[in-house]
């Protein structure tokens, strides 16, 4: 299994935004969606603010594959759904810490139950 390099983790973690490009069933790419990304240990996670019904999340979970671009890193990834409560609590903390300079109007939806239910781990391929 492929893992993130320390350089990739550092570069992605140090940026505020990530473009995620889910793959369609036929392998072509959807349009990119810009979202926030956080790190937990040696793993990277994203959430859909609109939850499981949001367009990019539905596209992402149809095939569970895509590409990300952030911090000068472009990588094909598997998109693994995560629902662990302890992990989600840590990710809430990570989102609040990383994006503390943003208004709560932006941060609160990312740590709400709707977004927590739409958490994806980015696994490099």
């Amino acid at each position: 299994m492929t893992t993130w390099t320390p350089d990739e983790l550092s570069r992605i973690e140090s940026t505020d935004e990530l473009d995620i490009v889910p793959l369609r069933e036929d392998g072509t790419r959807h349009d990119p969606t810009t979202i926030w990304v956080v790190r937990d240990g040696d793993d990277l996670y994203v959430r859909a603010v609109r939850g499981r019904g949001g367009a990019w999340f539905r596209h992402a979970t149809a095939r569970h594959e895509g590409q990300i671009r952030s911090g000068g890193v472009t990588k094909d990834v598997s998109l693994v759904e995560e629902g662990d409560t302890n992990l989600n609590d840590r990710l809430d903390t990570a989102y609040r810490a990383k994006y503390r300079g943003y208004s709560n109007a932006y941060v609160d939806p990312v740590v709400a139950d709707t977004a927590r239910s739409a958490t994806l781990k980015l696994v490099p391929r």
Side-chain angles (χ1 to χ4, degrees):
M1 183 165 110
T2 305
T3 59
W4 296 105
T5 68
D7 180 60
E8 290 169 334
L9 286 169
S10 177
R11 290 167 63 188
I12 294 170
E13 179 183 33
S14 68
T15 64
D16 281 353
E17 297 178 331
L18 173 143
D19 286 334
I20 188 164
V21 184
L23 294 182
R24 292 183 176 95
E25 290 296 327
D26 66 3
T28 61
R29 294 185 174 114
H30 282 279
D31 290 333
T33 300
T34 302
I35 55 176
W36 286 353
V37 58
V38 293
R39 179 178 175 178
D40 182 65
D42 290 336
D43 297 315
L44 298 169
Y45 296 89
V46 296
R47 287 180 171 168
V49 173
R50 291 188 174 94
R52 301 183 66 79
W56 81 257
F57 186 84
R58 287 192 328 270
H59 297 315
T61 55
R63 186 167 165 158
H64 291 92
E65 292 179 306
Q67 185 180 78
I68 61 99
R69 301 177 201 132
S70 182
V73 176
T74 299
K75 197 78 152 182
D76 292 331
V77 294
S78 295
L79 306 167
V80 179
E81 295 180 59
E82 292 288 347
D84 179 82
T85 301
N86 291 329
L87 171 64
N88 270 307
D89 290 345
R90 292 194 313 272
L91 297 180
D92 287 352
T93 301
Y95 273 108
R96 289 194 185 282
K98 182 173 181 179
Y99 298 102
R100 68 183 168 273
Y102 289 82
S103 164
N104 285 342
Y106 296 107
V107 178
D108 288 349
V110 180
V111 297
D113 287 343
T114 301
R116 284 172 60 110
S117 72
T119 299
L120 295 174
K121 179 179 178 180
L122 306 175
V123 179
R125 296 190 281 125

